[in-house]
Amino acid sequence: MSSADTIETTPNPEAAAPEEHAHDHDHAHDHDHEHHQHGPSLNPECTREVEIEVPADEVSKAFRTVTKKYQKQARIPGFRAGKVPESLIRSRFGDGLRQDVVESVLPTHFREAIDKAGLKPISQPQVTDLHLEDGQPLKFKAVFEILPEFSIAGYQDVHIAKPDTELTDAEFNAELDRVRDSRSTMEPVTEDRTLVDGDWAQITFRGEFQGEAQAEAPQAPVTGDDVMIEVGGQNTLPAFNEALLGAKPGQELKFEVSYPEDFGERRLAGKTISYDVEVKAIKKKIQPELTDEFAKELGEYEGIEDFKQKLKDHLANDKKRKLEGETRDKIVEALIAKYQFPVPESLVQAQVDARLDRGLRALAQQGMRTEDMRKLDFNRLRDAQRDSAVNEVKGSLLLDRIADEEKIEVTDAEVDRELELLSLQMREPLDTLRKRLTDDGSTARIREQIRREKTGSVLYEKLAS
C-alpha cells in the first residue's frame, strides 16, 4: 500500500480555517503542475453554509492589537521604530492589516458556528459577503462541503464469485521454464542441415512497405541485423515460420507479410511488407539442467528442491493475493453500483489531482521533459480522470461506512508496521519519516487506508462465495 494512493475523508475543521476568498490549488511540484490550478467547486447536495457575526468590540480590539504589532515592526523613513502614527499605519498597510484582523477572529467563531450547527466540513470553507469595518460587527458567510448521509442497508446481500486461488502444476511449470529460459545459452548448430521447428534462426532482413499508402507517403524500410527468431515459436509470425522452415544458412529468402490491424507495433499494423531475408546461422537454445548447482546460482537455496518449494510458495501467495485483490475490487464495484448518493466535489477534485500526479511522475520517469508536460491539455486530462475519481471516492466512503458498521479499528502497531515499510522503501529514518507524515496529515490517511483494506478483507470473507 502506498500513502499516495489514499483518499482523505477525515473532517478536520481545525486545519480548514476559512479563507477570505477562494484560493486555487497551486501545488509546487517538480513538474510545475499547471493542471492543479482549478477553481474550487462544490456539490450543492453536499454544501452547507453558516452565517457568522463577530461583536463590534471584539473587532475593534483585534484592530488595535494588529495595529500595535504593525507599529512595532514598521520601518518608515522619518519615524523612529515603534513611533509610526496609527493613522499612517492604517493608510499604508490597510489591506494587510485587515487580512490579519480577519485571520485573528474568524477561525474561533467559525469553529463555534459549525459546532453549534453539528457540521463537520471536509473542504476548505469559502468566505463570502464579508463586511469588515473598525467599530462595527464583522459579518460573513462560510460555505463548505460535508460528507453525505446515505444508507448502506443490504450491503451483506452483495455476492461475488470466489476465485480459485490454487496454484496449478501448469502455472508452476511455466514459471519454472521461464526461470530456466532466462539462464539459457544459444549454441550454434555445426551440422549441415536445414531449419526445423524449435531451432533459432539468426537472420538479417530488410522490409519494404507495399501498397497505396507507401506510394502517397513513403516510409523508411524495416531492417534488422543478426536477429534471433524461433522457428515455430509461439510469438513468431506464421509467414516467417513458413519461409524459414527448411532453409539453410547462407540462403536468401523473399516473402511478404500482411500485418493485422491490431498488431502491437503501430508502424506495421495493417501494413503489407515485402521482406528480403538472409539466413546467417542456425542455433539451439540450451536450457540449464535443474540441479542443486543451478539452484545455488539463483540465490541462497539449499538445493533444487528447496528452490522449487520456495518458488511454488511465492507463486501461490502471489496468485492468491492478486485474485483476492481483484475480487475485493469487484465487491466494491458492486457496492458502488448498488448505492446512489451525492459525492463531495472537493474530494473528487483531490482524487483527480492524485491520479494526475501519479501519471505525470510516471511520464517523468519515462523521460518526458517538463516543457513537454506543460504543453499537455490538462483540462482534457482532468475530464478523462473524473469518472474514475468519482468511483474511487464513492468506494472509499462506502468502505468507511461499512467499517463503522463492522466496528473495524486500526491499531497503532498496524500503522507502525506500515511506516516501517515506507521507511525502508524510501530510505528515510523512521523517526524523521513519522514526524514528516504526521505533520502533513499523511499518517491519518495511511490509517484510513489500512482500515479500508481491513474492511475489504472482511467483505471478501463474507460476500465472496
Side-chain angles (χ1 to χ4, degrees):
M1 181 200 72
S2 167
S3 61
D5 296 331
T6 64
I7 302 171
E8 183 176 19
T9 55
T10 302
N12 188 358
E14 294 286 338
E19 296 185 353
E20 188 174 354
H21 54 84
H23 289 294
D24 286 345
H25 295 292
D26 187 13
H27 303 271
H29 290 313
D30 294 340
H31 310 310
D32 188 17
H33 293 177
E34 297 172 5
H35 64 281
H36 287 307
Q37 297 179 359
H38 52 84
S41 56
L42 306 178
N43 184 337
E45 295 182 84
C46 299
T47 300
R48 298 293 182 271
E49 178 182 281
V50 292
E51 294 188 31
I52 299 169
E53 180 172 321
V54 182
D57 59 344
E58 187 175 339
V59 174
S60 295
K61 182 181 178 183
F63 264 105
R64 290 195 300 273
T65 301
V66 172
T67 301
K68 285 180 181 178
K69 183 181 72 173
Y70 272 65
Q71 283 180 307
K72 289 180 181 178
Q73 297 174 350
R75 298 292 181 268
I76 297 178
F79 296 94
R80 286 184 296 165
K83 299 298 183 181
V84 182
E86 182 177 319
S87 59
L88 182 57
I89 289 290
R90 294 204 178 199
S91 64
R92 179 72 68 89
F93 304 107
D95 289 343
L97 190 147
R98 287 168 57 85
Q99 181 68 29
D100 285 358
V101 168
V102 169
E103 290 177 356
S104 69
V105 299
L106 255 66
T108 299
H109 287 274
F110 172 71
R111 284 192 290 271
E112 288 175 354
I114 60 175
D115 287 345
K116 184 177 180 180
L119 298 172
K120 294 183 178 180
I122 60 165
S123 66
Q124 182 72 43
Q126 301 169 23
V127 172
T128 62
D129 299 341
L130 179 69
H131 302 284
L132 174 64
E133 293 294 338
D134 191 359
Q136 296 182 18
L138 167 62
K139 298 179 181 180
F140 67 93
K141 295 178 182 177
V143 182
F144 48 86
E145 284 188 309
I146 63 171
L147 292 177
E149 287 292 329
F150 58 92
S151 170
I152 55 169
Y155 72 87
Q156 305 96 329
D157 299 333
V158 170
H159 289 290
I160 298 295
K162 196 169 190 175
D164 180 4
T165 61
E166 196 73 28
L167 183 70
T168 66
D169 289 342
E171 289 168 334
F172 172 70
N173 290 329
E175 181 61 17
L176 192 58
D177 280 342
R178 191 198 64 75
V179 173
R180 292 179 68 196
D181 198 57
S182 68
R183 296 296 181 116
S184 296
T185 58
M186 288 289 188
E187 302 292 340
V189 173
T190 55
E191 61 184 288
D192 181 19
R193 67 171 179 79
T194 61
L195 283 160
V196 297
D197 282 339
D199 283 338
W200 287 77
Q202 181 179 333
I203 66 171
T204 294
F205 63 83
R206 178 186 178 89
E208 299 282 355
F209 285 83
Q210 304 296 302
E212 295 178 7
Q214 177 67 359
E216 294 172 4
Q219 296 191 52
V222 182
T223 60
D225 291 319
D226 295 328
V227 176
M228 302 300 298
I229 292 185
E230 184 182 9
V231 179
Q234 246 184 335
N235 299 319
T236 305
L237 291 169
F240 272 86
N241 282 328
E242 292 170 12
L244 291 171
L245 196 61
K248 297 182 69 171
Q251 191 170 343
E252 294 184 355
L253 310 170
K254 271 184 168 301
F255 57 94
E256 283 192 352
V257 177
S258 295
Y259 289 89
E261 293 289 346
D262 60 351
F263 191 66
E265 191 173 339
R266 288 187 181 179
R267 186 186 174 205
L268 302 179
K271 304 291 193 307
T272 297
I273 311 291
S274 177
Y275 281 102
D276 288 302
V277 175
E278 180 186 358
V279 180
K280 305 292 285 292
I282 301 175
K283 294 194 174 181
K284 274 285 186 187
K285 180 179 283 188
I286 308 299
Q287 287 190 332
E289 295 294 324
L290 293 174
T291 62
D292 290 343
E293 289 70 24
F294 173 66
K296 290 171 183 176
E297 288 176 11
L298 295 172
E300 296 181 0
Y301 301 104
E302 295 176 5
I304 193 62
E305 293 306 318
D306 181 38
F307 167 72
K308 284 183 177 180
Q309 188 58 53
K310 286 177 178 172
L311 177 63
K312 185 173 288 187
D313 292 343
H314 169 74
L315 293 174
N317 290 334
D318 196 51
K319 181 178 181 179
K320 185 173 187 290
R321 183 169 56 249
K322 179 175 179 291
L323 292 180
E324 289 185 356
E326 290 174 354
T327 304
R328 285 194 294 270
D329 289 344
K330 289 177 182 177
I331 290 172
V332 174
E333 289 169 8
L335 291 168
I336 290 171
K338 182 179 177 69
Y339 299 102
Q340 302 302 315
F341 54 87
V343 180
E345 185 63 21
S346 55
L347 296 183
V348 173
Q349 292 300 327
Q351 192 63 7
V352 169
D353 284 344
R355 292 178 66 86
L356 288 184
D357 277 344
R358 293 196 294 273
L360 288 180
R361 287 194 172 93
L363 290 175
Q365 289 172 356
Q366 293 166 18
M368 180 177 276
R369 299 176 303 174
T370 302
E371 52 266 36
D372 291 328
M373 287 187 187
R374 289 179 179 143
K375 297 174 185 176
L376 296 172
D377 184 345
F378 286 107
N379 286 330
R380 184 181 63 80
L381 290 174
R382 294 192 71 82
D383 289 343
Q385 297 291 337
R386 180 174 175 77
D387 288 347
S388 295
V390 168
N391 282 336
E392 286 169 352
V393 173
K394 284 187 71 174
S396 292
L397 294 178
L398 282 164
L399 287 174
D400 289 344
R401 288 292 304 279
I402 293 171
D404 292 340
E405 187 72 19
E406 297 282 347
K407 296 181 172 52
I408 294 171
E409 301 293 340
V410 176
T411 66
D412 290 342
E414 289 171 318
V415 176
D416 287 343
R417 278 197 296 272
E418 184 62 28
L419 292 177
E420 287 167 7
L421 284 173
L422 287 173
S423 173
L424 291 172
Q425 291 169 6
M426 302 173 74
R427 298 181 180 179
E428 184 175 354
L430 180 59
D431 290 342
T432 306
L433 177 74
R434 189 193 307 277
K435 183 179 186 309
R436 178 170 64 80
L437 297 185
T438 300
D439 290 345
D440 69 14
S442 295
T443 302
R445 290 193 290 274
I446 290 171
R447 184 180 290 273
E448 281 185 328
Q449 189 64 12
I450 294 172
R451 188 171 186 244
R452 289 169 188 153
E453 288 175 356
K454 290 178 71 173
T455 306
S457 296
V458 168
L459 290 176
Y460 177 85
E461 294 302 324
K462 289 189 172 186
L463 308 184
S465 57

